Amino acid sequence: MAKRKGKGPTPKAEDRHWHGKRQKARAIKSAKRTGTPTVGPGARAGSDPRQPAGGRPAGARRANGEVPELVTGRNPVVEALRAGVPGSALYVASGTDERVRESIQLAADRRIPLLETGRNELDRLTDGAVHQGIALQVRPYRYAHPDDLLTGPAPLVVAVDGITDPRNLGAIVRSAAAFGATGVVVPERRAAGVNAGAWKSSAGTLATVKVAQATNLARQLKAYQKAGCFVAGLDARGGVTVAGLEVASGPFVLVVGSEGKGLGRLVADTCDMLVTIPMPGTAESLNAGVAAGIALYEISRLRA
């Protein structure tokens, strides 16, 4: 440690009276810029026994929808804003491109904060993704509890089993909104969650239809059965057509399988019945979003 002549050793930066205030100011500035929470003044991530390195409470999970998503690139950003994707911040590094100007105007109209930033900072925020000088931070989606979907005397719930394309999930939510479903339940793992792609294909209906996550879909279906719901799985092997589902007039859960594999074995075994959509044409199967729309239309006719 260096000594100042006649004044003793030079104190470390952290020992100086101004150090704590400067660190706190930097943390607040960083939080405002990135939209992420900061560790308390004078503390370091991991210094609190309840808080591990990384700044999240012990046991916190990085599940779908719990972490802000960044949409990057001029076309994706402007399309997301046009579709009403809920943004929490618009980062702009440079550019007078027409799409950038439209993005700024759309963000201003919706009171989304505009944050000017340097390209190096945007590179860091997007983890090196191609951003073309612009990025939209999407608000984390707040999932409902599966029990919250059982509203009214005859709830209609759509459960999806292993849908991995968020555009299909958005299309299913859009059909659920069109035909009066009370909500959609999705598996917590190995399935698409609510992200910007789902928001865009839902045409904004995600703002009106509740989406819940289930830790175990088969177990959740059994819980719905105990609550008085009839559970029917949409499957090509079904012996009954959707149009003949008279039981759908009461509390009802429609289960839609994944794009390629259909319903999983445990989920199919849990269903009270497997139902099918007659297809006299040459196609062997339907897109999951299309199949859900057709089935919900038939069910809405039965419930009318």
Side-chain angles (χ1 to χ4, degrees), residues 146-147 150 157-161 185-187 214-234 252-256 263-274:
D147 292 347
L150 300 179
V157 176
V158 181
V160 296
D161 180 25
V185 60
V186 301
T215 305
N216 184 298
L217 186 59
R219 190 183 306 143
Q220 184 56 50
L221 294 177
K222 290 178 182 177
Y224 282 148
Q225 288 168 331
K226 288 181 181 179
C229 296
F230 188 90
V231 178
L234 197 57
F252 189 80
V253 179
L254 174 70
V255 190
V256 182
L263 297 176
R265 182 182 59 82
L266 287 176
V267 169
D269 290 345
T270 303
C271 293
D272 296 307
M273 181 186 294
L274 296 181

Side-chain angles (χ1 to χ4, degrees), residues 198-288:
W199 270 99
K200 286 165 67 176
S201 60
S202 80
T205 54
L206 269 164
T208 61
V209 176
K210 293 179 181 179
V211 177
Q213 279 187 325
T215 305
N216 184 298
L217 186 59
R219 190 183 306 143
Q220 184 56 50
L221 294 177
K222 290 178 182 177
Y224 282 148
Q225 288 168 331
K226 288 181 181 179
C229 296
F230 188 90
V231 178
L234 197 57
D235 195 282
R237 300 167 293 173
V240 177
T241 65
V242 177
L245 263 177
E246 295 182 4
V247 71
S249 58
F252 189 80
V253 179
L254 174 70
V255 190
V256 182
S258 66
E259 298 89 345
K261 298 179 181 178
L263 297 176
R265 182 182 59 82
L266 287 176
V267 169
D269 290 345
T270 303
C271 293
D272 296 307
M273 181 186 294
L274 296 181
V275 296
T276 187
I277 297 173
M279 293 189 297
T282 57
E284 294 182 0
S285 62
L286 292 170
N287 169 277

Side-chain angles (χ1 to χ4, degrees), residues 35-130:
T36 56
T38 59
V39 181
R44 293 176 298 174
S47 62
D48 188 328
R50 297 168 299 175
Q51 177 139 336
R56 284 209 301 264
R61 293 177 292 105
R62 195 180 175 90
N64 284 340
E66 293 181 358
V67 180
E69 175 192 4
L70 280 173
V71 179
T72 61
R74 294 170 185 172
N75 278 334
V77 167
V78 74
E79 288 170 5
L81 288 167
R82 287 171 182 168
V85 175
S88 55
L90 179 66
Y91 295 93
V92 179
S94 62
T96 56
D97 180 273
E98 183 179 344
R99 292 161 296 178
V100 174
R101 290 197 298 270
E102 183 180 354
S103 295
I104 293 172
Q105 185 60 56
L106 288 169
D109 291 344
R110 291 171 49 196
R111 297 184 179 179
I112 297 173
L114 174 64
L115 302 176
E116 294 184 20
T117 185
R119 281 189 170 271
N120 290 339
E121 178 66 7
L122 203 50
D123 287 340
R124 186 189 68 79
L125 289 171
T126 60
D127 200 21
V130 178

Side-chain angles (χ1 to χ4, degrees), residues 64-65 143 160-170 172 184-195 197-198 211-213 258-259:
N64 284 340
Y143 292 93
V160 296
D161 180 25
I163 298 292
T164 56
D165 188 339
R167 294 170 297 181
N168 267 338
L169 175 60
I172 291 170
V184 177
V185 60
V186 301
E188 192 175 278
R189 297 179 178 85
R190 296 185 293 278
V194 177
N195 61 13
V211 177
Q213 279 187 325
S258 66
E259 298 89 345

